[in-house]
Amino acid sequence: MTMDNKTVTEDDVMLTEKEAIILQTVFTIVLGGLASILGIITNIINIIVFVKQGAYKECGTVNLLGLAVSDFCVAFTMLGISFFLCLTFLKPPNLNWDPYSFWHLAAGWPHLMFAQITRTITAYVAFERCMCVVFPFKVKSILTPKRSIIIIVMIFILTFSSYSPAFIKQQLKYTHDHTVNRSRVILVLASDWLYVVDVMWYINSIAFNVGSVAIVLICTLITASRVQLSKTWRSSMATGQTGSKSTEENSKTKSDSTSKQNVMSSSKMQKEKKLITMIIFISVVFLICYIPDLSFLLMYTITTDIRILGKHHNVAMVMYSLTFFMETLNSSINIFIYYKMSSKYKRVFREWMGLSTDKES
């Protein structure tokens, strides 16, 4: 069985081929191409900065380094998707390989795989932050940098394994392509390809994708509520300390001590406020970017018509294009969050770029 883009572009009454091509061009080639270039550049910067920070010294930096590597792969595969889809639409003559086949296997499936890794690592980062708030005195002995490295590596390995059937059941082979009536490299599918892909889709999408989004939501809510509770408690303690007076001879000492405690408490509150803002902002961006993916999953689950080889294949292709773009966008903008909300990242970045002043140093 071979995959043939002419065969799969017939009788879609929901969306014409012309409309689908226009939307795919906008989402994949134009917006996706720009987002992929941005993501490649920003994540190379992120990787360098995290390494300079001492990526193996802190659990949080290890996690963000793993996320940057995954985000880079998401952006890089998106660039391949844009390139191969552009060639598919242009249909250059005398190519010895089918661009659509390469779009499907060499770029599309790897992009899905790395996007899933990004979602899973994001969920682990949210979980790790949540544990830091819930169990502040125990988490450092449980989630050590070494264990975080093992967890990140295992996420990559398990995801590669879960997607391996897709690469086993479809291969690029040099054979006769009846669409151009000559031999060239095209995608050849195994007879049970659809069944294997369906099973793999449900396992990965439900267990990993939906599960990751749920973990991010739950951990973010717990973290925000616990930090807010901690802020309220410290504020009341500081107020109580300010109002309590002792004998006249040690009143000045207590006043100085209270003043220092208030300064320290205010500093901690400001850091916690930034942490809450960053977590909420990351969560909102993450959820917005993955709305198309969850919507596509719902449509894919409800009906078998919205598939690449289904009745409404044009709708499926447009949904893939929108999903790919939003996933790439999510993987490309983290640098702005880090730079705005992490003073350590900003300092290392500016030092590396030679932009730091003597005062900042």
Side-chain angles (χ1 to χ4, degrees):
M1 180 181 179
T2 60
M3 176 168 286
D4 169 357
N5 57 326
K6 291 184 178 179
T7 301
V8 298
T9 53
E10 299 173 358
D11 303 323
D12 190 342
V13 295
M14 292 182 63
L15 196 66
T16 66
E17 183 176 356
K18 183 177 180 180
E19 293 170 340
I21 290 176
I22 293 174
L23 291 174
Q24 288 179 81
T25 300
V26 172
F27 290 137
T28 302
I29 298 176
V30 179
L31 297 178
L34 292 174
S36 64
I37 294 173
L38 175 65
I40 290 172
I41 296 173
T42 57
N43 283 293
I44 289 176
I45 294 173
N46 286 340
I47 291 171
I48 293 173
V49 171
F50 290 138
V51 171
K52 285 183 174 292
Q53 283 185 11
Y56 308 106
K57 296 179 181 179
E58 296 180 0
C59 185
T61 311
V62 169
N63 299 337
L64 294 180
L65 176 60
L67 184 61
V69 172
S70 177
D71 284 341
F72 170 82
C73 294
V74 169
F76 186 79
T77 52
M78 184 64 201
L79 186 62
I81 290 172
S82 302
F83 173 72
F84 292 129
L85 191 63
C86 183
L87 289 181
T88 299
F89 292 156
L90 293 176
K91 298 179 180 179
N94 303 322
L95 272 183
N96 291 326
W97 49 277
D98 176 30
Y100 183 78
S101 297
F102 277 79
W103 170 92
H104 185 81
L105 184 61
W109 278 104
H111 179 88
L112 288 173
M113 181 175 65
F114 287 115
Q116 180 170 301
I117 293 174
T118 287
R119 281 188 290 266
T120 309
I121 295 178
T122 302
Y124 173 62
V125 170
F127 173 77
E128 185 264 338
R129 288 172 178 169
C130 181
M131 291 298 100
C132 286
V133 174
V134 177
F135 306 107
F137 303 107
K138 296 181 180 180
V139 68
K140 287 187 177 181
S141 62
I142 299 173
L143 296 176
T144 63
K146 183 177 180 180
R147 288 174 181 172
S148 285
I149 293 173
I150 294 174
I151 291 172
I152 296 296
V153 171
M154 288 303 299
I155 289 174
F156 275 86
I157 293 175
L158 290 175
T159 307
F160 288 159
S161 301
S162 67
Y163 272 84
S164 60
F167 298 97
I168 295 174
K169 295 297 181 178
Q170 48 189 344
Q171 299 178 358
L172 294 169
K173 290 185 178 181
Y174 186 80
T175 186
H176 182 75
D177 185 356
H178 65 85
T179 62
V180 294
N181 197 27
R182 61 185 175 86
S183 294
R184 62 175 183 168
V185 179
I186 61 175
L187 186 65
V188 179
L189 307 177
S191 58
D192 58 345
W193 175 79
L194 284 176
Y195 171 77
V196 172
V197 168
D198 275 347
V199 173
M200 188 181 65
W201 173 277
Y202 288 116
I203 293 175
N204 289 316
S205 297
I206 295 176
F208 287 93
N209 296 353
V210 176
S212 297
V213 173
I215 290 172
V216 171
L217 276 172
I218 294 171
C219 290
T220 299
L221 291 174
I222 294 174
T223 302
S225 62
R226 291 299 294 266
V227 172
Q228 183 62 39
L229 181 64
S230 177
K231 283 176 59 180
T232 304
W233 179 81
R234 269 198 288 267
S235 179
S236 63
M237 289 296 292
T239 303
Q241 288 174 355
T242 304
S244 62
K245 300 270 185 180
S246 193
T247 57
E248 186 175 348
E249 60 269 12
N250 60 2
S251 61
K252 185 177 184 301
T253 304
K254 285 195 173 185
S255 177
D256 293 341
S257 176
T258 300
S259 178
K260 291 179 180 179
Q261 288 174 348
N262 288 338
V263 171
M264 293 175 62
S265 177
S266 176
S267 177
K268 288 182 179 179
M269 287 181 184
Q270 289 298 322
K271 290 181 179 180
E272 289 166 356
K273 184 179 179 180
K274 286 186 178 182
L275 176 62
I276 294 173
T277 303
M278 186 174 73
I279 291 174
I280 293 175
F281 188 79
I282 291 174
S283 299
V284 170
V285 171
F286 177 82
L287 292 173
I288 291 175
C289 289
Y290 281 96
I291 286 175
D293 183 66
L294 295 176
S295 301
F296 190 24
L297 172 61
L298 180 62
M299 290 187 292
Y300 195 99
T301 305
I302 293 175
T303 176
T304 59
D305 291 335
I306 303 179
R307 313 283 174 93
I308 290 181
L309 296 179
K311 181 179 180 181
H312 303 304
H313 43 265
N314 287 335
V315 176
M317 292 298 295
V318 171
M319 287 302 300
Y320 271 120
S321 295
L322 177 59
T323 298
F324 287 171
F325 162 63
M326 294 300 289
E327 289 170 344
T328 307
L329 182 64
N330 178 72
S331 295
S332 303
I333 60 178
N334 285 336
I335 188 173
F336 304 108
I337 301 174
Y338 301 149
Y339 188 85
K340 180 69 175 178
M341 300 184 178
S342 173
S343 57
K344 185 176 182 180
Y345 180 96
K346 184 176 182 179
R347 176 179 57 80
V348 175
F349 173 83
R350 290 179 64 84
E351 288 177 355
W352 173 54
M353 298 294 292
L355 300 174
S356 61
T357 62
D358 293 338
K359 183 178 180 180
E360 290 175 334
S361 300

